Amino acid sequence: MTAIENLANQFANTMWGTPMLLLLVGGGLFLTLYSRLQCFRFLPHAIAILRGRYDDPQAPGQINHAQALSTALSGTLGLGNIAGVAIAISTGGPGAIFWMWVTAIVGVSTKFYTASLAVMFRGQDDNGLLRGGPMYVIREGLGRKWQPLAVIFAIAGMLGTLPLFQANQLLSLLETAITAGNPLSDQQSTFLRLTSSIVLAVLVALVVAGKITRIGALTVRLVPSMVALYLGVTVIAIAEHADRLPGIFALILSDAFSGNAIAGGTLGSMIMIGVRRGAFSNEAGIGTESMAHGEAKTHEPVREGLVAMVGPLIDTLLVCTCTALLILLTGVWQQAEGITGVNMTAAAMATLFPSTGQGLLLIMVALLSFSTMVSFWFYGAKCADFLFGSDKQRYYTIFYISLIVVGSLASLNVINAFLIGVYAVMAFPTMISTLALAPRVNAAARDYFKRLRQNR
């Protein structure tokens, strides 16, 4: 382990200690109980909102509800669900998946509150445009004396949404697919990754030039189709191995409370790995996704909160479970020594679908990671605008695009540890402000649901 890798791991482990576990999972559980499960009861209404029934083109904001959710999902769906789950299983064992589920369930309420607040306390940028996100929630909702907390989030948000992980894992899978298991020399590998990353960087630059409206238009078409394709592939795999499913779920549940499947690990470390990967997967309580929800065209903060709560159900309970089942059904997590991240999922797909599996995964990863990179640019750009002003955004964009090339050549372990650590930094101001302002959301929810019942 290099000195940089060791430093990155120490940073991640320090940030993801017991206080973070209590804040993220404990805070989410508190919000679930504090809301009296209201948001869960109105899930059908959330679907109606997503179908456009309550869209108001004249409302403040820039994108409709479906585009806001798709943009938020494009930032969470993708390599966090495909490579991240593989990392969770390889480092924490099958039981880590259970704790990812727990994070998602409490994350439903967390997202309801964070997205509601993102609309309720929108602030103006230096161009006079309405913006949402934890930094504006803190400034507008808690007051200027809390500004340092907003700055901390913006700095961490700018770093945590860099495209390093997506570029690294996408090009790693591309190299594996092209070489068909025949390793390239270091020089050939570097050349392939370098040229491919430059092409990828140009494509991302073309989309982000259109900013949030173009990103919303792209993701609202791309994300649902990719989720449907991934679910379809998983259903076929499950159908062919249905007799093994009870044993797989029993393994997940038993290992969740024992940690026996981890070589030399402990139950506490396995729980922390599951919570980390769950947070990286659905971002509930992290705060990035509320920047997308804060752009929604609506006068009703609670309405966007209901839309946002659908996110963890899709990206963690559905898509992450699909990836976990693919890996556990094939047993590659035990057999593929030295294979980590997206290449482990690729090995599982190749086992289940020898002729088409790797190609299908490459298509899905390419499209989902691309949509993640364009959404992450928006998040990072909003944080940069908050810190330095919108006239400096072009410098951030150049920096962001260049890191697509850097990420393709960097160490996965260093990238993963660094980003996981920064996610924890983002979570502190997000969860503190959410818990402090939760009564305002409850008051707005009571009023909204009362009017909704009266109009039925």
Side-chain angles (χ1 to χ4, degrees):
M1 183 179 292
T2 66
I4 294 176
E5 187 175 335
N6 186 51
L7 186 63
N9 284 327
Q10 286 181 352
F11 170 58
N13 291 333
T14 300
M15 294 307 304
W16 283 93
T18 302
M20 177 52 61
L21 181 66
L22 293 173
L23 184 63
L24 207 58
V25 179
L29 182 59
F30 167 78
L31 292 173
T32 301
L33 298 175
Y34 188 55
S35 69
R36 299 181 182 178
L37 305 178
Q38 272 195 115
C39 53
F40 290 92
R41 300 201 301 268
F42 285 89
L43 183 59
H45 179 58
I47 303 302
I49 298 170
L50 283 170
R51 293 176 63 183
R53 183 175 170 184
Y54 297 89
D55 282 356
D56 179 3
Q58 304 305 315
Q62 297 195 59
I63 52 179
N64 64 36
H65 292 292
Q67 289 175 331
L69 179 63
S70 295
T71 301
L73 282 174
S74 71
T76 57
L77 287 172
L79 287 166
N81 306 80
I82 296 172
V85 172
I87 292 172
I89 293 175
S90 62
T91 56
I97 302 303
F98 175 83
W99 296 106
M100 288 182 72
W101 292 340
V102 171
T103 305
I105 292 170
V106 299
V108 169
S109 295
T110 303
K111 283 220 177 181
F112 171 73
Y113 280 88
T114 56
S116 296
L117 289 169
V119 175
M120 187 180 297
F121 294 107
R122 286 195 271 211
Q124 291 186 337
D125 64 13
D126 55 353
N127 286 325
L129 296 175
L130 281 179
R131 298 297 184 194
M135 58 281 203
Y136 292 105
V137 170
I138 293 167
R139 190 182 73 185
E140 306 297 326
L142 295 178
R144 295 277 178 175
K145 64 181 180 180
W146 291 85
Q147 183 79 356
L149 204 60
V151 171
I152 289 172
F153 174 85
I155 293 172
M158 197 170 57
L159 296 174
T161 55
L162 294 174
L164 298 166
F165 184 76
Q166 289 73 28
N168 182 281
Q169 289 292 272
L170 171 58
L171 296 175
S172 177
L173 181 59
L174 177 64
E175 181 179 339
T176 300
I178 290 175
T179 59
N182 300 311
L184 297 175
S185 67
D186 289 344
Q187 187 176 9
Q188 290 171 324
S189 175
T190 300
F191 178 77
L192 174 62
R193 286 178 176 245
L194 191 60
T195 53
S196 301
S197 64
I198 291 172
V199 173
L200 180 61
V202 171
L203 293 174
V204 171
L206 291 173
V207 175
V208 302
K211 302 188 178 179
I212 187 60
T213 51
R214 187 178 294 179
I215 293 171
L218 170 73
T219 57
V220 79
R221 292 175 175 83
L222 191 59
V223 170
S225 59
M226 287 301 98
V227 172
L229 177 60
Y230 198 55
L231 290 176
V233 169
T234 308
V235 167
I236 294 171
I238 290 173
E240 293 179 354
H241 300 83
D243 58 316
R244 297 187 58 195
L245 279 181
I248 294 298
F249 282 107
L251 174 63
I252 292 173
L253 293 174
S254 62
D255 190 52
F257 298 96
S258 66
N260 290 333
I262 314 171
T266 64
L267 177 61
S269 64
M270 183 264 296
I271 293 173
M272 194 59 69
I273 288 168
V275 173
R276 285 183 189 178
R277 298 319 312 182
F280 195 63
S281 163
N282 60 57
E283 299 182 21
I286 304 301
T288 50
E289 77 295 334
S290 64
M291 286 187 271
H293 290 295
E295 299 289 315
K297 286 180 173 290
T298 183
H299 293 285
E300 299 282 2
V302 172
R303 192 171 287 165
E304 191 58 28
L306 291 169
V307 167
M309 76 180 190
V310 178
L313 302 178
I314 295 174
D315 57 39
T316 303
L317 293 184
L318 271 180
V319 180
C320 285
T321 301
C322 287
T323 302
L325 291 177
L326 292 175
I327 291 171
L328 296 175
L329 282 171
T330 57
V332 295
W333 66 285
Q334 293 174 307
Q335 302 161 7
E337 186 175 350
I339 299 178
T340 59
V342 71
N343 288 327
M344 179 179 287
T345 309
M349 289 285 284
T351 302
L352 292 166
F353 307 99
S355 59
T356 60
Q358 200 166 65
L360 277 173
L361 185 65
L362 178 59
I363 292 170
M364 288 184 286
V365 167
L367 294 176
L368 287 172
S369 60
F370 181 78
S371 68
T372 299
M373 281 187 270
V374 296
S375 295
F376 272 20
W377 167 83
F378 171 73
Y379 296 156
K382 293 308 101 184
C383 291
D385 289 357
F386 183 83
L387 292 169
F388 309 114
S390 57
D391 60 323
K392 305 294 192 303
Q393 188 182 100
R394 62 183 180 276
Y395 300 114
Y396 173 79
T397 301
I398 293 170
F399 174 67
Y400 184 91
I401 297 299
S402 67
L403 284 185
I404 294 175
V405 179
V406 174
S408 69
L409 303 173
S411 162
L412 171 61
N413 290 335
V414 172
I415 290 171
N416 181 56
F418 170 73
L419 292 179
I420 285 292
V422 174
Y423 263 50
V425 177
M426 285 190 278
F428 274 108
T430 299
M431 288 301 296
I432 289 170
S433 59
T434 300
L435 292 169
L437 294 168
R440 301 287 294 272
V441 176
N442 275 17
R446 285 192 296 270
D447 175 65
Y448 179 78
F449 294 137
K450 179 181 178 181
R451 286 186 283 117
L452 186 66
R453 285 189 290 266
Q454 289 173 343
N455 292 333
R456 284 179 176 172

